[in-house]
Amino acid sequence: MTLEQLRVFVAVAERQHVTRAAAALNMTQSTASAALAALESRHGTRLFDRVGRGLALNDAGRTLLPYAREVLLAANRAEEALSDLAGLRRGTLRIGASQTVASYWLPQRMVRFSEMHPLIDLALEVQNTSQVAAAVLSGEADLGLVEGPVRSPELEVTPIATDSLALVAAVSHPLAGRDVGLDDLRGERWVMREVGSGTRQVAEESLKRLGFAPGEIRIALELPSNEAVISAVRTGGLLTVLSEVTVAAALATGALVRLPIELSTRSFSLVTHCERQQSQAAQAFARMLLAGT
């Protein structure tokens, strides 16, 4: 089997459609079909079942898929290793970042790195903290940038910046503009990020340190993005805890108000694999972040 056949197989498996897979790989549909047919013919087994106009993996295809992904990942690593021989004149750096970091802290640093190394391609995948950690563990991301705690003996976690949390409500909320104590917060309804997000983890830990028992916070909504949480809070009946940088614009316009409860600070952290060799691009990006530039 060839790398091209495996790339076509994985692309079709992920999209369940040959034409869409061919478009993603920038090849013709006939070329993709021929590569898939050659792979099946070489090993005397079909890898997909036809379902309507699409394709679905059968048992043989499901067996091959993880091995195919592993081979393609190894091939990409080999290409990157050879590219490193040319220094930082070419290559791709794959970054996984959690939402707050990716939206409010990282972009200007990516621009700065791109100006320093214009021929290094930066590929950013935005996920929650647990997903970023998993991507670094699997090798899908060269390095990660997260706002929540990561606990894995295979990962090295290095704080690179400090972030503050804010307890906010809509300007129309009954607690807005008042001196607020912990008892005032008990019984209120909250909206939080989804389980697994760094913001959710740190918010719950911060509230626990204030004296809230597990389960005492009434979480009415769980939403998958900071923007969705802010939109829900602006309706007037909910409280939340988010990063200061996330709510800065809403506070400036008066759409949200900060309640006078002091919360913990947290770190933005760089996540790398303890055993995987870092590319020169990854090392240069990490050095830039650690230098605070």
Side-chain angles (χ1 to χ4, degrees):
M1 62 182 68
T2 67
L3 289 176
E4 181 179 83
Q5 291 169 354
L6 291 179
R7 289 191 181 99
V8 170
F9 166 69
V10 170
V12 173
E14 290 174 344
R15 293 163 181 82
Q16 299 183 29
H17 200 280
V18 174
T19 302
R20 288 195 287 269
L25 295 173
N26 196 28
M27 64 174 58
T28 65
Q29 187 270 341
S30 60
T31 300
S33 295
L36 188 59
L39 180 62
E40 292 179 325
S41 176
R42 172 67 178 81
H43 297 280
T45 183
R46 298 193 63 81
L47 301 170
F48 296 90
D49 294 324
R50 289 202 166 273
V51 179
R53 294 185 177 180
L55 296 173
L57 283 171
N58 58 23
D59 287 342
R62 284 190 291 271
T63 299
L64 176 61
L65 184 58
Y67 294 106
R69 284 175 168 156
E70 185 176 346
V71 168
L72 293 177
L73 179 60
N76 287 337
R77 289 292 185 187
E79 290 180 356
E80 291 171 2
L82 292 176
S83 295
D84 278 350
L85 295 176
L88 291 170
R89 293 195 297 271
R90 60 184 177 183
T92 299
L93 176 59
R94 299 164 301 170
I95 304 170
S98 52
Q99 283 195 21
T100 301
V101 177
S103 299
Y104 299 94
W105 186 85
L106 183 58
Q108 60 268 40
R109 289 162 176 83
M110 291 179 66
V111 169
R112 188 175 305 124
F113 184 84
S114 184
E115 291 171 346
M116 296 165 59
H117 307 289
L119 297 182
I120 300 296
D121 295 328
L122 298 178
L124 175 64
E125 183 78 17
V126 182
Q127 301 171 308
N128 65 35
T129 292
S130 61
Q131 291 167 332
V132 171
V136 176
L137 274 172
S138 68
E140 294 177 15
D142 298 306
L143 51 81
L145 294 159
V146 300
E147 63 230 39
V150 172
R151 300 178 180 90
S152 170
E154 298 175 80
L155 298 178
E156 182 175 354
V157 182
T158 306
I160 53 176
T162 300
D163 179 43
S164 298
L165 298 175
L167 171 60
V168 297
V171 67
S172 60
H173 194 282
L175 297 181
R178 289 178 43 190
D179 289 333
V180 176
L182 296 186
D183 289 340
D184 297 309
L185 301 179
R186 291 187 167 90
E188 292 292 331
R189 297 169 66 243
W190 297 71
V191 54
M192 290 287 192
R193 285 284 307 281
E194 78 284 3
V195 174
S197 79
T199 296
R200 170 69 174 268
Q201 291 174 277
V202 177
E204 289 182 336
E205 290 175 3
S206 186
L207 292 170
K208 182 179 179 180
R209 283 193 289 270
L210 285 176
F212 285 94
E216 192 173 3
I217 298 295
R218 293 174 54 200
I219 300 177
L221 290 175
E222 292 183 353
L223 297 174
S225 72
N226 297 326
E227 291 73 18
V229 171
I230 291 171
S231 180
V233 173
R234 291 178 66 170
T235 62
L238 300 166
L239 302 178
T240 196
V241 173
L242 287 174
S243 165
E244 282 188 346
V245 297
T246 302
V247 297
L251 293 175
T253 61
L256 298 181
V257 295
R258 183 171 184 166
L259 302 187
I261 297 289
E262 289 299 319
L263 298 175
S264 305
T265 59
R266 64 176 177 179
S267 294
F268 291 159
S269 298
L270 172 67
V271 181
T272 55
H273 200 288
C274 294
E275 297 180 353
R276 295 185 191 276
Q277 180 178 349
Q278 292 293 308
S279 68
Q280 290 190 25
Q283 293 176 41
F285 194 85
R287 285 195 300 270
M288 184 192 75
L289 295 181
L290 293 169
T293 59

